[in-house]
Amino acid sequence: MSRPVSIQSETILEAARTVFLAHGFKVSTARIAREAGISEGSLFKHFKTKDDLFLAAMDTELSGSSWQDLLKKSAGHGSIRATLETAGLEILNHLQIILPRIMMVSSSGIVVAGPHHCSQTRISPAIKKLRALAAYFRAEIDRGRLTMTNPEVHAQIFIGSLMHYVLQQTLFNFRPATPQAYVRTVVALMVGGPATGKRTAVKSSKTEKAGTG
């Protein structure tokens, strides 16, 4: 007599993630079970409700944050531009995974309550990432290698620019540039230095005079 097939929860989650992202929250659990290669009854042995399955599949807390380690190790060393380009590309790749999940949860109508799903998986990690980037900016400012008036605001602008890129791609299938080229441009704008800032200020001043004349 053959043994029953054992399936891991992660296999179910991968199948559920694929089906939910393709068809939305209203898709049947029977379809998810077929995608996972199990019966619908077996699915509910791993997850009590469809809501539980959905929230687990759409989890936004991903393992791995090598870019944060890179920033800590690189402060005061090497090229700031190269460091931020590497970190920015990793952040963008991460956002391409989690933003569609966040959008899916928001559109599902499920009220996500409690610290596990709300503050820990959606809010806290985002704030930690902003703080990690701002800490790197401050470290480079303290060493005289970077000129920046408000590291926290610049960190939010940096990550916000990457989020906008992913949202355009997800919602409208629009990419103004390759991820690599886009990150390079954002970094160049971010660390252009005081000379670039002065030139911009002069241009703005001339423009204002021309407009008021």
Side-chain angles (χ1 to χ4, degrees):
M1 182 176 179
S2 61
R3 294 181 178 180
V5 177
S6 175
I7 186 167
Q8 299 294 321
S9 294
E10 185 55 40
T11 302
I12 299 175
L13 288 176
E14 289 177 3
R17 196 172 295 124
T18 299
V19 176
F20 279 132
L21 288 173
H23 304 287
F25 174 69
K26 292 183 179 180
V27 70
S28 69
T29 51
R31 183 163 187 171
I32 295 171
R34 286 197 302 271
E35 179 74 18
I38 59 173
S39 69
E40 195 172 9
S42 297
L43 186 152
F44 285 111
K45 289 180 181 179
H46 290 263
F47 301 92
K48 292 182 179 180
T49 68
K50 180 182 178 182
D51 286 7
D52 289 340
L53 172 62
F54 177 75
L55 292 175
M58 295 297 109
D59 188 16
T60 58
E61 183 62 22
L62 303 181
S63 61
S65 57
S66 60
W67 67 269
Q68 295 183 54
D69 295 332
L70 172 66
L71 294 185
K72 290 179 181 178
K73 295 176 182 177
S74 301
H77 306 285
S79 166
I80 295 176
R81 190 181 298 268
T83 297
L84 287 176
E85 286 178 2
T86 300
L89 191 58
E90 185 177 333
I91 293 171
L92 191 147
N93 290 336
H94 180 85
L95 290 171
Q96 286 177 324
I97 296 173
I98 68 169
L99 277 184
R101 298 184 188 183
I102 293 174
M103 293 166 62
M104 185 65 67
V105 172
S106 298
S107 65
S108 69
I110 298 177
V111 177
V112 184
H116 176 68
H117 289 297
C118 186
S119 64
Q120 289 183 9
T121 61
R122 295 184 63 186
I123 300 175
S124 180
I127 293 174
K128 287 181 179 178
K129 289 176 175 59
L130 285 171
R131 288 175 176 172
L133 186 56
Y136 173 74
F137 287 154
R138 282 195 300 272
E140 295 294 14
I141 291 170
D142 292 342
R143 291 170 171 81
R145 287 169 26 102
L146 185 63
T147 300
M148 192 174 283
T149 55
N150 193 321
E152 285 73 19
V153 171
H154 279 79
Q156 189 149 5
I157 292 172
F158 186 87
I159 294 180
S161 298
L162 303 182
M163 288 180 66
H164 185 68
Y165 178 93
V166 175
L167 285 173
Q168 283 187 314
Q169 184 177 8
T170 302
L171 295 175
F172 310 115
N173 195 29
F174 174 73
R175 293 200 321 175
T178 64
Q180 293 82 359
Y182 185 85
V183 170
R184 282 197 299 269
T185 302
V186 172
V187 171
L189 292 171
M190 191 65 57
V191 298
T196 302
K198 288 178 181 178
R199 286 198 297 270
T200 303
V202 171
K203 289 181 180 178
S204 298
S205 177
K206 289 180 179 180
T207 302
E208 290 173 2
K209 289 179 180 180
T212 57

